[in-house]
Amino acid sequence: MVKKFILFVLIFISINIIAITALTFYLSHKVAKQGFENWQTESNLLFLKNNQHYNLLFMGISHARNLSRHQNHQRVEKILNKSICNIAQGWDDDGMNVQYLYLNYFYDTGNKADTVVFFASPILFYSDYLDNNPLAYASEPINLKFFWLNVIKGGDDKWQQLFYYVRNKFSPYWLNMTPNTDTIKTDALSKMDTAAVNAGLKDAYRDGMTQMIFEKKCNDLKKIVELAEAHHSRVIFILPPALFGTWPGTDKVIDYLKQLQPVYGTTYYDFSNSVTDPSMYYDHHHLNTKGVVYFTQNYLKPVLGK
Amino acid sequence: MAASCFFYMAFVPAYILIILLTIVVDYFAGIYIEKSEGKRRKQFLVLSIISNLSILGVFKYYNFFNANFGRILFHFNFHDPLPLLKMLLPIGLSFHTFQAMSYTIEVYRGNQKAEKHFGIYWLYVMFFPQMVAGPIERPQHLIHQFYEKHYFKIDNVVSGLRLILWGFLKKVVIADGLAHIVTDIYSYPDHFPGSGLLLGTLCFTFQIYYDFSGYSDIARGTALVLGFSIMQNFETPYLSSSVSEFWGRWHISLSSWFRDYVYIPLGGSRVKLPRQFLNILIVFVLSGLWHGASWTFVIWGCLNGLYLIIELSTSGIRKKLFNNFKSIGAKFIVKSLGVVITFLLIMFSWIFFRSSNLHQAAYIIKHIGKGITQPFDIYGIDAAPGLLGFILLSILIVITHWVDYKGGLTSLISHKPIVIRWATYSLILWVIFILGVFHEKVFIYFAF
């Protein structure tokens, strides 16, 4: 009787797991088959192909991803005269460890990059919540290689992230996903709103500025540098511009980047205060298309366009 | 017993010493009550009750009374005469304290033999499926089950698993699905027009029911899998046609505890009407305080007591009016009207229960009627479900009420063919998987 019961339970569980897996793959494929380019999506797995060679690989958070959004990608490629792959992640979806996983996936699928350009937004060094966002992979299609990478190298909340990675394939957000057709970002600020900046910083630094998190993130960054080095990619760090200039904790970040320099041969450029015209931002730390073009021509080209 | 201790110690391990203290006191109190005669029996009972209430008083009510006492003394130029206690409330304190008290009272009344086996008594207080949020069991119903031999019974396991599944559906999908809306609206009530406040209160009305009844189902299901039967705590209370009926169907184990150990000893309904009214008020004020050491809970209790007093004093007139309706259809309409009115009254009282203070409750009551038709941006609420989400939640609320009204999932499908049963379980599992909120908090009633 007990054996029969256990057998029935196992059959029931198996049927449901098979059905859920099949449906998840079907829904994932249904969206992915539309075909996405780097500038048309916030996802990485939707556009990444195998065995490609790029001159530059952009990494970081929204400040880097923004260089591809709204078809900025083609503009930046044209100005720099380089092929670019942008695997940075915005929307609070991405921390240092998540970037490390994406870089692993990038190399594991046979891709190569001459230079890894890591946009080292200081907030990345002080935030655990970015790495622990349960919806970190909400925009990604189901991919067994990426799933397994998360199982073996994922962060503290990897099981929750993997659960939502699968579950989200049933959400209207995923099912309604289509290639983004925005061609330009023209929204612009007229002046700096100090109250909004303070509120934004308070939200961004919600984990505080603890030494423990800072060290953890530095360690993750070191893993990124070592992985890039192992795949013969040069690493350049760039501190992106913000209308309010320097982010809290920037000095400590720069000190750490300086420490990496002699060990790994990395370089860094602090462009925190490079763009001061409000009309080049659509919020206090994201450049609009005019800002992206200006920043690329005047600051990125001299260091990346060589 | 080991599982129960492990479960309890997962919260704050040291707090097991507190519960152990009450277990030791009540265990010996029970034995001495049974052995003694005359006044001595009562003395042991009083000792047991005082020790239980003292622990409850220190952990749960000290800061509340201290703050209020301090406010009074402030007028006489005494500032903070007593320090505030900064410690976490032991989880489920009110539940297991009341369960422990029911034991000594029942022994005193002669309805229960004093338990000689210390381990069995320990387990009675700490039985893990129900120790942190009830149902508050009675010794006559639970203790004898610990002496019975429990074998693996497939019927029990299947019924228990069904209850657990049902409980998770209620908690993870419905209660937690509504939680974001309630939290946002009640955190910033001044950001919302009357329509938003109404929506927040309506959502909380369902959230608290599904949160608590979901927990109760999981607790009953877990116990049943192990072969134990614990009492039902809810019987579709929002389908009650009067407030008194509601309180017979909501948190039944607590309502019956107050009825048996407070209301009836005070004279119950065998006294003159004004005294009966007073008894009702006492019971509901105590019930409010049981839920939390705050004036909002006291007012919530008073309000419900007041509802019952009004209901009692108009029962004759209402009965006459009801009897005037001869046709079944008319009676059904009147009864349905009663359900709607009761629901609205209870919903109104939840405003006090949910508000963080009286000031907020007053604000919500003052503004809930203003701009009631005014639309507001639901998407301004963090993680609020979209229109489809609301429709799905509403459908689930109707379905779960219907199933519970019909006696629960087991009575509805246990005799159906295996295909229908498995399809039903799969459907529930899929709904939980797709719509469940898994990063949501603990159960609301764990705080009590």
Side-chain angles (χ1 to χ4, degrees), chain B residues 15-17 19 23 102 126 138 160 167 169 176 179 205 222 248 295 309 323 335 391 412 423 433:
Chain B
Y15 279 178
I16 197 153
L17 298 174
I19 196 167
I23 288 171
S102 80
M126 287 195 68
R138 302 301 171 84
L169 176 75
D176 291 348
T205 304
T222 310
W295 286 109
I309 289 168
N323 288 336
K335 194 134 182 133
I391 292 170
L412 271 180
F433 172 72

Side-chain angles (χ1 to χ4, degrees), chain B residues 141-157:
Chain B
H141 184 230
L142 194 57
I143 286 181
H144 72 88
Q145 295 188 54
F146 296 131
Y147 280 101
E148 291 162 8
K149 289 215 165 179
H150 294 273
Y151 299 101
F152 183 86
K153 283 187 189 161
I154 287 180
D155 284 351
N156 278 350
V157 175

Side-chain angles (χ1 to χ4, degrees), chain A residues 1-2 5 8-9 11-12 15-16 19-20 23-24 134 160 163-164 166-167 170 172, chain B residues 152 154 157-158 161 388 418 422-423 425-426 429-430 432-439:
Chain A
M1 198 69 172
V2 176
F5 173 75
F8 270 44
V9 170
I11 293 171
F12 176 77
I15 290 172
N16 275 282
I20 281 209
L23 194 57
T24 308
Q160 195 181 31
F163 171 78
Y164 281 102
V166 175
R167 207 273 286 268
F170 295 83
Chain B
F152 183 86
I154 287 180
V157 175
V158 173
L161 289 174
L388 182 68
I418 190 167
W422 281 29
Y425 306 148
S426 298
L429 272 175
W430 283 53
I432 292 171
F433 172 72
I434 294 170
L435 299 177
V437 180
F438 294 95
H439 50 274

